[in-house]
Amino acid sequence: MTRLFLRALLISVGLVAISGTAIAQEAPPEPVTIPDLVFPVAGPYQPGFDTFGDCRDGCARTHEGVDIMAAKLTPVVAVADGFVTSVRGLNPNGSPVQGGHQWLIIDHGGWQTRYLHLNNDTEGTDDGLGLGITDDIIDAWVAAGGTEYGSGFSFPVSAGQQIGFVGDSGNAENAGSHLHFELRIGEGWQ
């Protein structure tokens, strides 16, 4: 089931990349080779209710990833080797933004993965004061100045390395704990 889930995601991403290119009337992206991927949740999970492309906000936008339902604090791992280039939901000193949406981006050289709704609660609570990103990434991000995407922050990670914890931060507060996972072709932070 895990392999089929990832293959469906890759097909969906490919279709979005193609349709997004056609709509924007830009040159087709350079071919990107994506290796075999590690599943991003290292523990029991279930596919989420929201699928790729579902309407959001009255169809003003679409769901641009897949939701993987899992218990809060289930480990989240990098799906492939790469570099964490963006960390969100933390203050520059590494403390959590109270109630903030914690997530991160990994650049894999021509493609990215994004891990959203990471935990933001202290264990056993729903207080919005916890950390859902691993200490090593937070420490490196703080040492680099604790700034947003584009600051040159780059922290190496390996496929299967723990990067965070499943949670319900951001607009997932009432949706149950899950990982919103995206695979994007190309660069960019939004």
Side-chain angles (χ1 to χ4, degrees), residues 26-186:
E26 298 172 2
E30 291 294 318
V32 174
T33 301
I34 298 175
D36 287 339
L37 303 177
V38 173
F39 196 73
V41 174
Y45 72 91
Q46 294 182 355
F49 303 108
D50 294 329
T51 59
F52 186 86
D54 279 353
C55 288
R56 290 286 196 266
D57 302 325
C59 288
R61 62 185 183 94
T62 59
H63 192 242
E64 295 181 346
V66 294
D67 290 342
I68 304 166
M69 308 303 288
K72 201 180 271 193
L73 298 178
T74 300
V76 173
V77 300
V79 299
D81 295 349
F83 295 88
V84 177
T85 57
S86 184
V87 173
R88 307 286 177 85
L90 302 178
N91 293 306
N93 67 0
S95 65
V97 171
Q98 185 171 2
H101 185 188
Q102 292 186 30
W103 57 291
L104 57 80
I105 297 172
I106 299 177
D107 180 3
H108 303 278
W111 59 285
Q112 298 178 341
T113 50
R114 298 171 185 206
Y115 306 79
L116 285 73
H117 306 309
L118 299 174
N119 182 60
N120 69 342
D121 298 316
T122 305
E123 189 171 356
T125 74
D126 196 27
D127 62 4
L129 296 172
L131 294 170
I133 299 169
T134 57
D135 291 343
D136 56 345
I137 294 172
I138 293 172
D139 291 346
W141 182 75
V142 169
T147 57
E148 288 297 322
Y149 183 82
S151 66
F153 172 68
S154 182
F155 181 80
V157 292
S158 300
Q161 179 179 337
Q162 185 173 354
I163 57 172
F165 304 90
V166 171
D168 63 358
S169 65
N171 64 358
E173 196 65 42
N174 296 313
S177 61
H178 68 281
L179 174 68
H180 172 98
F181 176 75
E182 297 181 14
L183 188 154
R184 292 183 177 234
I185 305 299

